[in-house]
Amino acid sequence: MRNYLSISDIDSLPDWVAAARDLKKNPRKFDSLGKGKTIGLLFFNNSLRTRLSTQKAAMNLGMEVMVMNFGSEGWALEYGDGTIMDQGTSEHIKEAAQVVSQYCDIIAIRAFAGLKDRKIDEAEQVLNGFKQYASVPIVNMESSVGHPLQALADAITLAEQNAKKRPKVVLSWAPHPKALPHAVANSFIEMMQLQEADFVITHPEGYELNPEITKSVRIEHDQKKALENADFVYVKNWCSYSHYGKILGQETDWMMTNEKLGHAKFMHCLPVRRNVVVEDAVLDSERSLVIEQANNRTYAAQVVLKKLLEN
Ligand code: CP
């Protein structure tokens, strides 16, 4: 594996989950693997879990860590070829990626979708720009269209919590006052397509995700019907894909409640808006897995970094 950019970079999900669970039992077991190596974490957007868990994972492997809030502290980057840079951008991705490669052995990047232009977002210009011009491996810490570190952590959590051969897992859309990207839902769907499960997506009409990602996964617009006999319910908001970046309606009755959840376990990537996305009673119950999902972010990142270091 040269880079970790999407779920498709995982060659065997069961093997990666098993490796992560082993690391969780003894996180410092390979603490000399990264000795003398440096990871650079470049953030174009805010973060709590990704920033700290990736840093923790790197430290567990003995790496040095440099963190930069590139979006607010770096020069505005230019991505276009042949651009006359007499406007807002100060530095070209060609130089920036090569320069950072001299300081770091691995570069991890967070750069969200702008949600204004689908074509620009799907081009993944930050991630792909670094991939093109950097000379070291690149890790996706959430890009325009994917959050594969989160989805790998979710696979670890499912494996730890699941007692069935074929559990029913529901991805349910939830209301949110802001337009949010599709990245978490996309990677969760791609990860679930590698699992033995009865997997259903439920959302109001108009919130269909990219059909190239959902493929043949069952989509049910009746949330109640979708949630019947669910073992795990993963809740996430996303904005419209067809009316790109738009919120079509508040749909507050899609908020997850204890009553709707039934006997299922609750999952969410965090951060979550209480009593908008999900009611307090769910988050404060023993059926909520959100804290363990966040814990597993460390071991998801650690298995990725370990594989890159071993390469
Ligand atoms: N789930 C997640 O990626 O959290 P942060 O945005 O806080 O990193």
Side-chain angles (χ1 to χ4, degrees), residues 15-299:
D15 287 355
W16 284 43
V17 168
R21 292 178 75 180
D22 275 350
L23 287 169
K24 191 172 180 177
K25 285 181 207 146
N26 187 0
R28 305 288 297 187
K29 188 173 174 189
F30 300 96
D31 65 358
S32 55
L33 185 66
K35 195 169 185 301
K37 305 274 184 190
T38 301
I39 186 168
L41 310 183
L42 309 186
F43 285 89
F44 291 76
N45 305 95
N46 295 348
S47 171
L48 187 162
R49 279 142 291 272
T50 305
R51 180 167 176 158
L52 296 183
S53 65
T54 310
Q55 192 161 346
K56 177 79 180 169
M59 293 189 306
N60 282 344
L61 293 167
M63 299 186 82
E64 304 288 336
V65 184
M66 296 198 294
V67 186
M68 181 171 180
N69 295 321
F70 212 108
S72 55
E73 295 164 357
W75 300 110
L77 292 184
E78 175 61 47
Y79 299 91
D81 255 344
T83 308
I84 298 168
M85 289 171 54
D86 60 356
Q87 298 294 314
T89 54
S90 305
E91 175 154 33
H92 203 281
I93 182 72
K94 287 184 186 180
E95 283 80 46
Q98 290 180 75
V99 167
V100 179
S101 298
Q102 297 177 117
Y103 309 145
C104 302
D105 300 280
I106 297 175
I107 302 172
I109 297 163
R110 164 164 283 201
F112 289 174
L115 296 178
K116 289 188 172 62
D117 184 323
R118 190 160 96 184
K119 242 177 147 173
I120 289 178
D121 286 347
E122 292 189 338
E124 295 273 34
Q125 60 180 8
V126 183
L127 200 66
N128 284 334
F130 274 93
K131 182 187 160 198
Q132 185 174 356
Y133 297 112
S135 54
V136 298
I138 304 295
V139 174
N140 180 351
M141 296 196 296
E142 188 172 345
S143 65
S144 295
V145 301
H147 195 355
L149 285 175
Q150 180 66 53
L152 180 55
D154 297 335
I156 298 164
T157 310
L158 282 170
E160 287 174 337
Q161 300 287 334
N162 178 38
K164 289 187 179 172
K165 189 166 186 298
R166 196 166 184 273
K168 180 170 180 183
V169 180
V170 181
L171 172 62
S172 179
W173 182 92
H176 198 281
K178 287 187 170 175
L180 296 189
H182 309 101
V184 170
N186 286 346
S187 290
F188 185 75
I189 292 164
E190 289 173 330
M191 180 277 288
M192 284 308 303
Q193 287 165 345
L194 304 176
Q195 299 262 15
E196 184 69 28
D198 173 11
F199 180 47
V200 184
I201 303 170
T202 184
H203 57 71
E205 289 193 36
Y207 284 101
E208 284 71 18
L209 290 155
N210 182 350
E212 288 178 21
I213 288 172
T214 55
K215 296 187 178 131
S216 60
V217 176
R218 184 181 142 210
I219 295 168
E220 172 59 66
H221 292 126
D222 181 339
Q223 190 190 35
K224 193 174 171 197
K225 203 167 158 192
L227 292 173
E228 277 169 10
N229 301 316
D231 297 298
F232 296 92
V233 177
Y234 199 106
V235 173
K236 186 71 187 85
N237 169 269
W238 58 86
C239 63
S240 175
Y241 181 72
S242 51
H243 295 90
Y244 194 69
K246 298 277 181 292
I247 297 176
L248 306 178
Q250 286 304 321
E251 316 275 11
T252 52
D253 56 335
W254 277 71
M255 180 177 78
M256 190 52 56
T257 63
N258 241 338
E259 193 187 340
K260 286 185 194 176
L261 200 58
H263 75 277
K265 292 190 170 153
F266 174 81
M267 298 180 76
H268 189 284
C269 62
L270 302 180
V272 69
R273 290 188 183 229
R274 283 175 171 252
N275 305 310
V276 175
V277 171
V278 54
E279 68 176 2
D280 281 338
V282 173
L283 283 169
D284 295 334
S285 78
E286 289 194 345
R287 282 176 306 149
S288 171
L289 303 180
V290 298
I291 304 302
E292 203 46 41
Q293 284 175 264
N295 187 28
N296 284 332
R297 290 294 307 274
T298 297
Y299 309 105

